[in-house]
Amino acid sequence: MRGPAHIPYRFLQDPSLFAVEQQRIFKGPTWHYLCLEAELPEAGSFVTTRIGETPVVVVRGEDGELRALVNRCRHKGALVCVEPRGRAPTLRCLYHGWSYQLDGRLRLVPFEKGVDGRGGMPPCFDKSEHGLHPVRSARLHGVVFGTLSEATEPLEDYLGPDMCRHFRRVFCKPVEVLGYFHQVLHNNWKLYAENARDSYHATILHAFYATFRLNRLTMGGGLVVNHDGWNTMNYSIGASLQEGQYDARELRSVLPDIGLASPELLDHRLEFADGITVAIQSIFPGCVHQQIYNTLALRQLVPLSHDRSELHWTVFGYADDDAELRALRLRQANLIGPAGYVSMEDGVIGEYVQRGSAGAAPGETALLLMGGEGIASVTDSRANEATVRGFWQGYRTLMGDALDD
Amino acid sequence: MTESALFLRVQQLQTHYVQTIDDDRLEDWPALFTAEGRYAITTRENHVAGLPLALLSCTGHGMLQDRVTGYRRINVYEPQVYRHQTSALVVTDAACGGWRCQSHFLVVRTLQHGAMSVFATGRYLDHVVEQEGTLKFAERLVITDSRQTDTLLVIPL
C-alpha cells in the first residue's frame, strides 16, 4: 500500500467502490451529523436525513428524549416520514397505515385482526418485535450525531479532545437556525471531504479571499488533527478581516482596479475570545462545521454515486443575537453556500478533478506532499496538506483490502 | 395611467431585466433597481418556513455592482449562459408609493460544452416604483421552487 501522500485516482473513478464505502464507512464505525437539537423544539418534532444511503428520522418523544430511527416502515420498507422537517403525533406510514409511536414502537397495524375475523395478520404476529429500527445517536452541545454500527467508539472519543473543544466553543449557548442551502455536486464525495480539509487551496482558488487579502496563508493559524487524522480543523487567527476590510476599502486588492462598491459586506464582529476568524472543522467522513467570520454552519455530505454527491448546509446564529449581529450574519451569508463569494468555487472544483482524473492509468495518483507526508497538528503554517492526508488515512483504514493499492 | 398601460410598463421592465442577464449586459442590471433597492434569492423551503437566509442578497446599487464584479472579475466557475422564460405577470395592487407585482420564471442554463438543463424555476415577488418617469425595482425577491442548487449560482436569476 502507498502512503497517505499518494492517492490513486481510481478511488474517485471506480463505481464498484461505492457499495463498499456504504458498507465499511457509512455503516461502519463512524459518527454522522444528523441535525441540531434546536430543530426539534417539542414532542413530535422530526427531521429526516440520511446516513449514507440509509434514511433516518430524528424525533423528539413525548418524554422529551431525542431518538434516531431508521425511516423505513417494517411492513414494506416505505419511508415513514417524507417531509424534511415537521411535527406529527405519531409516525404513520402512508402506504398501509402502520403507525409507530414517537419512540419507534409499532402501535397500530390496520386490519391486524382482519375483517370479521377473516384475513389479518397471523396470531403469532407480535407488534413489539416490529418497531422502527433504532439508530444509535449521541449529542454534543446540541449537535446530534448517529452511527449505524454498534462498534463505533463513544462520540467524544471518536471526535477527539480538540474537536470536542471546538464544538463547545461554538455551541456555547442556544442556537437558532437561519436557513438551509442544498447543493448537488458532480463529483465523488471524497473530493468535497478533501476540499473542506484543504487549507492550501483556500487563498488560491477562492479568489475573493485573495483579491481582498482576507485570508492569507501567511496569517496566523494552523491545522489540528485528532483521531489519527480522521478529524481535522483548519483555522486562521487575527484581525484578518479588519485588515482585509481595510484593503477592500482602500482598493488594495491584488488586482489594483478591483474594489468593493459596498465594503460593508465585510463588516464583522469578533465573537470568540481566541481571535479565530475562520475555522473549518471536518469530522470523518462527511460532516463539516464552519465559522467564516460571523457565519456559522454545519454541512452534511451525502454520496449519491461514485460521481455525484449532495451537500446540505444548516446555517445558524444564536438565539440571543442582537438585531445588528443577526443582520451581519445574514449579509455575510453572501460569502457562503452555492452562491457564496467564497464558497461557490467548491461547487465546481471537485467536478474538474472528477473530469480531469478520468481515464488515468491504474497507478496514477494525486500528490499530497505539502508539508511532507506526516499527519500531525501544525501550529506554524497552513501550507500543509496534513489534514487532507488524515482524511485518506481514515479512508484507507476502513476500506482495508477493498482498495488493493 | 390606465391599468393596461401600467401592465405594459411593468412588462417592459421585466423584459429589460431579462435582457440584461440573458444577453450578458449585467453591468446594466443594477440600474433597474432603485438606489436602495433590494434583491434577494431564496428557496421556497426557507421562504415558507419564514427563515431569513438567502442564497444571495443585495441592498443598494453597491452590493448589486459587487455581484457583477464577482461574476466578471473574481469568482471561478464554468462559463455559462441563462435563458429566462417569464410568465403569469400580475400587477396586484398599489402599495408603498408603487405596485406589488408577481410573475413566474424558468431559467435554462447552458454550460460551455453544451450541457443544457433547467437550472431554476420559481416566482418573482416585486415592489415596483416610478422614479423620474422610469419604473424600477424597489425590491425583487426571487423564490426558487427547488431547494437544491446544481453546482453553483453565480449569475443572478
Side-chain angles (χ1 to χ4, degrees), chain A residues 131-144:
Chain A
L132 296 176
H133 289 301
V135 173
R136 204 177 136 206
S137 65
R139 269 177 288 170
L140 186 70
H141 311 301
V143 187
V144 185

Side-chain angles (χ1 to χ4, degrees), chain B residues 11 21 133:
Chain B
Q11 184 70 61
I21 297 172

Side-chain angles (χ1 to χ4, degrees), chain A residues 322-403:
Chain A
D322 58 58
E324 183 193 11
L325 182 55
R326 183 58 61 87
L328 280 177
R329 290 194 208 288
L330 292 170
R331 190 160 64 203
Q332 284 176 31
N334 279 296
L335 301 175
I336 64 165
Y341 279 120
V342 171
S343 300
M344 77 167 69
E345 285 91 5
D346 294 329
V348 74
I349 198 64
E351 181 180 338
Y352 288 169
V353 177
Q354 192 74 33
R355 283 155 58 180
S357 61
E364 207 175 333
T365 70
L367 300 179
L368 302 174
L369 288 164
M370 289 292 282
E373 300 205 31
I375 301 171
S377 296
V378 181
T379 54
D380 58 350
S381 168
R382 289 177 296 143
N384 196 308
E385 293 173 302
T387 44
V388 184
R389 290 188 290 271
F391 170 79
W392 288 108
Q393 174 142 296
Y395 182 75
R396 280 186 158 120
T397 301
L398 290 181
M399 292 292 281
D401 59 5
L403 295 179

Side-chain angles (χ1 to χ4, degrees), chain A residues 84-85 177-184 186 205 207-208 211-212 257-262 310 312 315 330-331 333-334 338-339 341 344-345 347-348 351-352 355, chain B residues 43 45-46 51-59 61-63 65-70 73-79 111-113 147-154:
Chain A
R85 281 167 293 281
V177 171
L178 303 180
Y180 302 92
F181 298 134
H182 307 273
Q183 216 172 341
V184 61
H186 299 262
L205 173 67
F208 189 84
T211 300
F212 299 113
D257 61 326
I258 296 185
L260 285 178
S262 201
E310 273 177 358
H312 304 280
V315 180
L330 292 170
R331 190 160 64 203
N334 279 296
Y341 279 120
M344 77 167 69
E345 285 91 5
V348 74
E351 181 180 338
Y352 288 169
R355 283 155 58 180
Chain B
T43 62
E45 177 186 53
N46 287 338
L51 296 168
L53 184 73
L55 275 160
L56 177 166
S57 65
C58 302
T59 302
H61 280 175
M63 289 188 84
Q65 281 163 18
D66 288 340
R67 279 289 173 177
V68 179
T69 304
R73 306 289 306 277
I74 303 173
N75 285 120
V76 177
Y77 50 86
E78 183 117 31
L111 299 172
Q112 63 179 348
H113 294 298
R147 65 181 203 164
Q148 184 169 276
T149 305
D150 186 309
T151 310
L152 58 80
L153 186 151
V154 64

